[in-house]
């Protein structure tokens, strides 16, 4: 699994949202177990409902990584474009 903190495009906001989702997942799993799921109570592995909930959070994480990477690359591209325009303006100003 990717170490998110090492990714240049993984922001503090991304991390905070993942923390909130993970908290909700853990809270929901505890509630689920307290309601008496016999599969989860056995403690061997989570039942299909819990696995599905875990997969939802895992899918969100994968999508957020892709979206944050795309946003980062788009902003980088736009910044490079603006910097190139500024250089051209500065060169034109110096030549005049
Ligand atoms: Zn269960």
């Amino acid at each position: 699994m990717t170490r998110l903190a090492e990714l240049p495009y993984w922001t503090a906001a991304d991390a905070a949202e993942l923390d909130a989702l993970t908290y909700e997942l853990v809270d929901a799993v505890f509630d689920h177990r307290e309601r008496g799921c016999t599969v989860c109570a056995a403690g061997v592995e989570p039942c299909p409902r819990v696995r599905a909930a875990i997969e939802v959070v895992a899918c969100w994480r994968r999508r957020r990584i892709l979206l944050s990477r795309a946003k980062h690359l788009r902003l980088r591209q736009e910044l490079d474009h603006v910097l190139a325009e500024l250089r051209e303006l500065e060169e034109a100003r110096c030549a005049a």
Side-chain angles (χ1 to χ4, degrees), residues 73-85:
L73 293 172
R74 177 68 62 203
L75 288 172
R76 183 76 232 178
Q77 180 185 28
E78 291 173 2
L79 178 62
D80 288 347
H81 178 75
V82 168
L83 290 174
E85 285 185 349

Side-chain angles (χ1 to χ4, degrees), residues 32-33 37-41 46-50:
H32 169 80
R33 287 182 176 172
C37 175
T38 56
V39 175
C40 290
C47 72
R49 290 182 71 186
V50 170

